[in-house]
């Protein structure tokens, strides 16, 4: 039987880590495989570096965080701020799903201030269908994902509902180290205090959920896919 596999899909390098990093570490420790996907590198986010120079840094950080988790890392061939919901992007995502065969996918909730995040959400949902249908003949055989859920991301809070609180106390110190594999969260050039936010969010969600540290997930409203059936570790 194939191993359980958690895939976390972000719009930019480090989105998957900041919203899904603690769950990646928790599942990796429990023997799951983990794959990190960035739809774009997020190469335009530096206040002084050119996109070309920042791209190199971001790709290096992505490799470092993948090594820290023990995860596969994939970066789709799109530019920061230019991601479109296209057949091509949908097929690239569907082929990644067929290649890695994730049990569970975590990706952006669509209520986002960032269009790349909204489009990533849409591309993942379109790709589920193309990945699952055997009649589409591709390099890898069809694969049905067991569950899709939305982790908490400061940019995706429009209508976000924290349905599930997951205890991540055991992995939280490593999660903070994982965040710091990214210059975006290690240095102080970003206009948003990522590290402080996610460190405090773990405490806040922990207090609300009755744990030392916790992260939350939102369930899809319109799809009958249940995370427990897919074996996601929620206790
Ligand atoms: Zn982003």
């Amino acid at each position: 039987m194939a191993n359980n596999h958690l895939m976390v899909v972000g719009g930019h390098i480090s989105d998957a880590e900041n919203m899904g990093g603690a769950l990646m570490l928790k599942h990796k420790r429990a023997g799951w495989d983990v794959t990190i996907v960035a739809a774009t590198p997020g190469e335009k986010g530096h206040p002084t570096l050119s996109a070309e120079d920042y791209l190199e840094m971001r790709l290096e950080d992505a490799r470092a965080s993948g090594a820290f988790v023990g995860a596969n890392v994939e970066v789709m061939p799109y530019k920061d701020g230019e991601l479109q919901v296209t057949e091509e992007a949908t097929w690239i995502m569907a082929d990644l799903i067929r290649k890695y065969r994730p049990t569970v996918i975590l990706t952006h909730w669509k209520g986002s201030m960032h269009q790349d995040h909204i489009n990533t959400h849409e591309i993942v949902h379109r790709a589920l269908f193309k990945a699952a249908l055997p009649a589409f003949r591709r390099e890898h055989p069809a694969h049905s994902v067991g569950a899709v859920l939305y982790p908490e991301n400061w940019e995706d809070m429009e209508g976000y509902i924290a349905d599930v609180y997951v205890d991540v106390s055991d992995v939280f110190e490593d999660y903070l180290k994982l965040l710091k594999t990214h210059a975006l969260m290690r240095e102080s050039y970003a206009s948003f205090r990522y590290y402080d936010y996610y460190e405090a969010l773990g405490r806040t969600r922990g207090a609300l959920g009755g744990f030392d540290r916790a992260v939350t997930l939102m369930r899809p409203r319109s799809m009958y896919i249940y995370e427990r059936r897919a074996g996601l570790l929620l206790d």
Side-chain angles (χ1 to χ4, degrees), residues 11-12 15 108 114 117 155:
H12 311 98
D15 276 319
H108 295 285
H114 205 310
H117 293 195
E155 291 172 298

Side-chain angles (χ1 to χ4, degrees), residues 1-9 23-24 27-28 30-37 69-74 96-106 143-148 227 230-233:
M1 209 182 111
N3 207 13
N4 280 324
H5 195 132
L6 180 66
M7 176 181 274
V8 187
V9 186
L23 291 172
M24 291 183 207
H27 286 78
K28 185 72 190 179
W32 287 45
D33 293 325
V34 177
T35 297
I36 299 169
V37 181
V69 175
N72 310 296
V73 175
E74 296 279 355
L96 289 173
I97 292 170
R98 285 176 174 230
K99 177 180 175 185
Y100 290 108
R101 315 187 74 70
T103 324
V104 175
I105 293 181
L106 307 181
H143 175 70
S144 292
V145 176
V148 178
E227 65 276 3
L232 193 70
L233 303 175

Side-chain angles (χ1 to χ4, degrees), residues 137-155:
R137 298 289 175 151
R138 307 290 289 180
E139 183 186 352
H140 301 287
H143 175 70
S144 292
V145 176
V148 178
L149 294 119
Y150 315 119
E152 191 166 352
N153 184 307
W154 77 277
E155 291 172 298

Side-chain angles (χ1 to χ4, degrees), residues 74-183:
E74 296 279 355
V75 182
M76 291 166 67
Y78 298 106
K79 290 184 174 168
D80 190 2
E82 300 177 32
L83 183 67
Q84 300 288 325
V85 181
T86 60
E87 277 293 288
E88 181 198 71
T90 302
W91 273 117
I92 289 173
M93 189 66 234
D95 286 338
L96 289 173
I97 292 170
R98 285 176 174 230
K99 177 180 175 185
Y100 290 108
R101 315 187 74 70
T103 324
V104 175
I105 293 181
L106 307 181
T107 193
H108 295 285
W109 166 238
K110 66 184 175 185
S112 181
M113 66 166 87
H114 205 310
Q115 192 65 43
D116 286 346
H117 293 195
I118 297 167
N119 291 349
T120 299
H121 172 102
E122 182 69 20
I123 288 164
V124 167
H125 283 274
R126 289 181 178 214
L128 293 174
F129 183 73
K130 289 187 184 331
L133 276 189
F136 286 121
R137 298 289 175 151
R138 307 290 289 180
E139 183 186 352
H140 301 287
H143 175 70
S144 292
V145 176
V148 178
L149 294 119
Y150 315 119
E152 191 166 352
N153 184 307
W154 77 277
E155 291 172 298
D156 308 339
M157 296 309 285
E158 289 298 327
Y160 180 86
I161 297 167
D163 291 314
V164 186
Y165 285 73
V166 188
D167 183 0
V168 292
S169 310
D170 287 356
V171 295
F172 206 76
E173 283 305 311
D174 278 346
Y175 167 63
L176 295 178
K177 288 180 196 160
L178 172 64
L179 294 184
K180 290 202 169 184
T181 59
H182 293 274

